[in-house]
Structure formats: C-alpha cells, structure tokens
Amino acid sequence: MPKRGYHHGDLRRALVDATLRLIEQKGPTGFTVSEAARDAGVTPAAVYRHFQGREDLIAEAARQGYVRFANILEQAYNDGQPTALAAFEATGRAYLEFARDCPGHYIAMFESGISINRNSDLAHAAQRAMGVLERAAEALSQHIPPHKRPPAAMFSAHIWALSHGVVELFARGSPGTKSPYPPEDLLESGIGIYLRGLGLIPPDE
Amino acid sequence: MPKRGYHHGDLRRALVDATLRLIEQKGPTGFTVSEAARDAGVTPAAVYRHFQGREDLIAEAARQGYVRFANILEQAYNDGQPTALAAFEATGRAYLEFARDCPGHYIAMFESGISINRNSDLAHAAQRAMGVLERAAEALSQHIPPHKRPPAAMFSAHIWALSHGVVELFARGSPGTKSPYPPEDLLESGIGIYLRGLGLIPPDE
DNA sequence: TGTACATCAGTGAACGCGCGTTCACTGATGTAC
DNA sequence: TGTACATCAGTGAACGCGCGTTCACTGATGTAC
C-alpha cells in the first residue's frame, strides 16, 4: 500500500483491486459494492467519493484490464520481430497468459456485460487492444498471395474467437468441464492448423 | 398453453419457459425466482412445488437446452451423410443456429455458472451433446493420413472453441462490439481455413 | 348419479437478509499567515 | 514555530427495495363408494 494521504491514502486503487479480487472469486454477479468497501476497510458510502456507483466501478476495472491487455499484447507482438509469424504466435500466447494471470480483469472485460461504449476512456482502451490484434493479423497476411488473402479483420476475428473460446471453455475450471488438453496446447495447435490452412506454414512438418 | 390440469395445468413447463425468457432478456444474473413466478401468473412460493430452488430451475433450463442441442446437432450431422465433410460443416452451422434460436438455453448452459455435474440428468444430457461433436470430428479425421492426424478430441475442442468464441464475441449484440462480419460467415470461413490446414479441403479454391 | 373424502397445487403472509444509495456529519490533513 | 482555518475523504445511520425461502392454509380436482 502506497503512502497514506488523507485518510486511506489510495482508496480508489484499493477499491478497484478489491473489485477485481471479488469478480475473480465470485464472478461479475457475486461482486457487491458493500463487500468491495469492506475489503478495502471502508464504509460502503465511501465508495461514492470515487465512483458514481456499482457499474462505474466495474467499468473502471474493465478499463484497466484493456489497458493492461493492450500493453501485454503489444509487448508480445514486438513490432512483428523477429518474423511476422513468430510475433503473431507470441501474441496468441500472450492472450492466454493474460486471461490466466488476470482473470478478474478478463471477466470484467468480457463477461460482466459492461458495454465497451459506456464511456470514452473505456472505448478507447478497448479499441487499442483490438487494434494490436488486427495489426498483427494485417502484417502476417501480407505473406499470403493477394488473391487468396482473407481480409485482415476476418483473420483477426477468427483468432480472437478461437482464443476466447479456449479461455471460456477450457481455461477456466468452468462448469464441470475438464479440459482434454492444456489450454495453451489447444490454442497453439489450433492456431497452427489455421495458419497452415492459410498457407502461412508449410503443410508438412 | 396445454390442458389445464389441477390449478395451472402445466406450471413446471411455464416456469422453465419464463426462466428462459428472462435469462435471454436479462442474462443469468437478472433472472429471479419471483419474476419467473410472476410471469407464470403464480405466487413465488408455488415454484417450490416443482423445483428445489433458484439454482434448480436454472439447471433444468440448462438440461433442456442440452437435450435440444444434442438433438439439433445429431440431426444436422445426419450420420455423416452425404459425406463426412458436408455433415461436419452442417453440424457447425447447426451450432450457431442453436445459439441464435435458443439464446436462453445457450446462456443457461454456458454462462450461468451452473456445473454440468450438478445432477446426473444434466451431466448425461451434456455428455450426449458433446459426444455428437466428437463423433463428427472422429469420422472426419479418418480422412486424414494417420501420421498427421490430430486426436479427435483435440480436433473437436478446436471447433467447439471457435464456435463458442464466435457466438460470445460476435453473435450476441454483446458489449458494444459490432461484428465485422455476419457470425455465420465468420464461423464458416474459419472452419474452412482450419479444415484446409488439416488437408481435408484442397488448398486451391 | 350423487355424495364424502383424500390429495396436493397454489396461496398469502411473513421472515431475515444484504443490497445500492443518500445524507448531514466529523475529524484528519494541508495551507496561509 | 504556532495558530486559525478551509478542505474534503470517510463515517454512521437510515431509506426503500426486492430477493429467496418457509409455513400453515385453502380450495379445486380426481376417485371411491
């Protein structure tokens, strides 16, 4: 906990952290303002000094998630180095790592029902994250002969959908489903087959 | 509404239907026992004549969903006729149709947090549905040379993840995200590329 | 056919609960002199 | 350095709310004679 300023010192951050912890433990439903306040060692009313209300708190958690997500993806992509293909695969792995390491953020972003357009900060952060994926797809698709090249937006949507599906179905301990394979392997092999289908990886290996 | 038996006639069914409607409209969170009862024209207490409680109601909605899901997939698969490939692709389309036509069921099954192992009826219904997907993958993978054939369970997990991802991210009006393409096209093209990667579709088209 | 009875689906009132939010307040802190 | 003051983060009590669930009950229905 950083320096104590007024009374708490950093209540805003403490509340978001508590929110993330609760969302991770109990899902976006289980989260309550009262409990977040309790976790931060503060009266529920204090929350309203920093947030407009419950939804606003979740939205802030999601926003921070998108910022972090974008950073992680961007770092993994590494400007397409050493090769477009390697950078692309690293980005896919980073997606899964984020979902694993920041489940609270991931849930707030994708399962809380918060609209991305709730406020412009949120929308901007989300756009940036999606932009990284699209740029990675765009760069990689330059290696496909133009006449059989799918639109980059479609390419990137496929990868995003596959990644998200793997997270939701197999990476969470979710609804009694036990994963037949480690999620990482599932995603990596899936992306591999997909890229082979695009002719980006030689058919024999 | 079918024949009136005792007082209501078919309260159990009416409650499940109301539950599905509410889940579809407000998500698994928004659903309440009281409102389902109200929708069915009955006192909240009446619910407890037919279900053990709130979770039990959701579980029944999910169970019915899995039964329907399995039927639809099985019908689409059509015993692998006319060809394993065509049957497989029809199954993928059926997946999306189900998610579109029965959003209440889909949400109860995959987003409500209900464990598949909550009771044996639910577990059995879910197993049957997943079995159809696995069998379709198994049959299709017979056309791949054994040495480059992925395990059928992995194959089917890839397709399931891609389908689920497309539904969650692009088929719902979800969180302000507007789909760049119709979900059907997205799934069909994604599966197409994936199957090409497996050598099940000729690379040129 | 008519009557007496058993069944049990649905009632209505009540419960305790924790929620999100509001309000006038208090008291620790930073600042000006 | 010491005092007076303004600020405003957090308090504590209260609100209205709708929830899930329970309970003794009631009254429509099917059945037995």
Side-chain angles (χ1 to χ4, degrees):
Chain A
M1 225 169 277
K3 74 157 166 63
R4 300 237 149 197
Y6 272 100
H7 294 130
H8 182 285
D10 208 358
L11 221 210
R12 190 182 166 86
R13 175 197 296 263
L15 285 172
V16 174
D17 287 351
T19 298
L20 290 169
R21 225 177 304 125
L22 288 169
I23 286 180
E24 174 183 344
Q25 283 168 18
K26 321 195 175 181
T29 304
F31 157 76
T32 66
V33 171
S34 301
E35 198 165 2
R38 223 175 294 135
D39 273 25
V42 122
T43 280
V47 174
Y48 293 81
R49 286 278 157 203
H50 299 272
F51 300 95
Q52 287 173 25
R54 184 190 133 88
E55 294 244 296
D56 197 35
L57 228 186
I58 301 180
E60 173 59 13
R63 190 195 65 79
Q64 290 188 10
Y66 276 112
V67 169
R68 198 161 170 174
F69 191 43
N71 289 342
I72 287 176
L73 292 183
E74 204 144 60
Q75 195 180 338
Y77 182 57
N78 191 25
D79 273 325
Q81 300 306 321
T83 68
L85 180 60
F88 188 84
E89 288 177 330
T91 307
R93 279 193 297 276
Y95 188 106
L96 214 59
E97 267 165 38
F98 174 78
R100 173 183 299 279
D101 295 346
C102 311
H105 281 127
Y106 197 90
I107 296 172
M109 290 154 67
F110 296 118
E111 300 174 42
S112 70
I114 287 293
S115 166
I116 254 177
N117 297 315
R118 193 164 199 285
N119 63 63
S120 62
D121 282 352
L122 218 200
H124 181 261
Q127 271 313 320
R128 186 162 82 87
M130 295 166 190
V132 178
L133 280 185
E134 271 171 39
R135 244 177 297 129
E138 178 78 47
L140 187 51
S141 71
Q142 296 305 315
H143 294 75
I144 308 174
H147 66 281
K148 50 194 305 197
R149 184 190 298 167
M154 175 176 273
F155 184 175
S156 119
H158 285 153
I159 296 298
W160 191 14
L162 180 62
S163 306
H164 184 69
V166 167
V167 167
E168 293 295 331
L169 293 176
F170 305 113
R172 295 233 195 296
S174 58
T177 321
K178 48 190 173 314
S179 172
Y181 301 96
E184 288 82 3
D185 295 359
L186 217 43
L187 182 59
E188 187 151 358
S189 60
I191 291 182
I193 294 170
Y194 178 89
L195 294 181
R196 207 166 278 135
L198 285 176
L200 286 164
I201 296 183
D204 256 353
E205 183 194 318
Chain B
M1 227 171 274
K3 75 159 165 67
R4 300 237 148 196
Y6 273 101
H7 295 128
H8 181 284
D10 209 358
L11 221 209
R12 189 181 166 86
R13 177 198 296 264
L15 285 172
V16 173
D17 288 351
T19 298
L20 288 169
R21 226 176 304 127
L22 289 170
I23 286 179
E24 175 183 343
Q25 284 169 18
K26 322 193 174 183
T29 304
F31 157 77
T32 66
V33 171
S34 301
E35 199 166 1
R38 222 174 294 135
D39 273 25
V42 121
T43 280
V47 174
Y48 293 82
R49 286 277 156 204
H50 298 273
F51 299 96
Q52 288 173 23
R54 185 190 133 89
E55 293 244 297
D56 197 35
L57 228 187
I58 301 181
E60 173 59 13
R63 190 195 64 79
Q64 291 187 12
Y66 276 112
V67 168
R68 198 160 170 175
F69 191 43
N71 289 341
I72 286 176
L73 292 183
E74 204 145 59
Q75 195 179 340
Y77 181 58
N78 190 27
D79 273 325
Q81 299 307 319
T83 68
L85 179 60
F88 188 84
E89 287 177 331
T91 307
R93 279 193 297 275
Y95 188 106
L96 213 58
E97 268 164 37
F98 175 76
R100 172 183 299 279
D101 296 346
C102 310
H105 281 126
Y106 197 89
I107 296 172
M109 290 155 68
F110 296 119
E111 300 175 41
S112 70
I114 288 292
S115 167
I116 254 177
N117 297 315
R118 192 163 200 287
N119 63 63
S120 61
D121 282 352
L122 218 202
H124 180 260
Q127 271 312 321
R128 186 162 82 86
M130 294 167 191
V132 179
L133 280 185
E134 271 170 39
R135 244 177 299 128
E138 178 79 46
L140 186 51
S141 72
Q142 295 306 314
H143 295 75
I144 308 173
H147 66 282
K148 50 194 304 198
R149 185 189 297 168
M154 175 175 273
F155 184 173
S156 119
H158 285 153
I159 297 298
W160 191 14
L162 180 62
S163 306
H164 184 69
V166 167
V167 168
E168 294 294 333
L169 293 177
F170 304 113
R172 293 229 197 298
S174 57
T177 320
K178 49 189 172 313
S179 172
Y181 302 97
E184 288 81 4
D185 295 358
L186 217 44
L187 183 59
E188 186 152 358
S189 60
I191 291 183
I193 294 170
Y194 178 88
L195 295 181
R196 207 165 279 136
L198 285 177
L200 286 164
I201 296 182
D204 258 351
E205 181 196 319

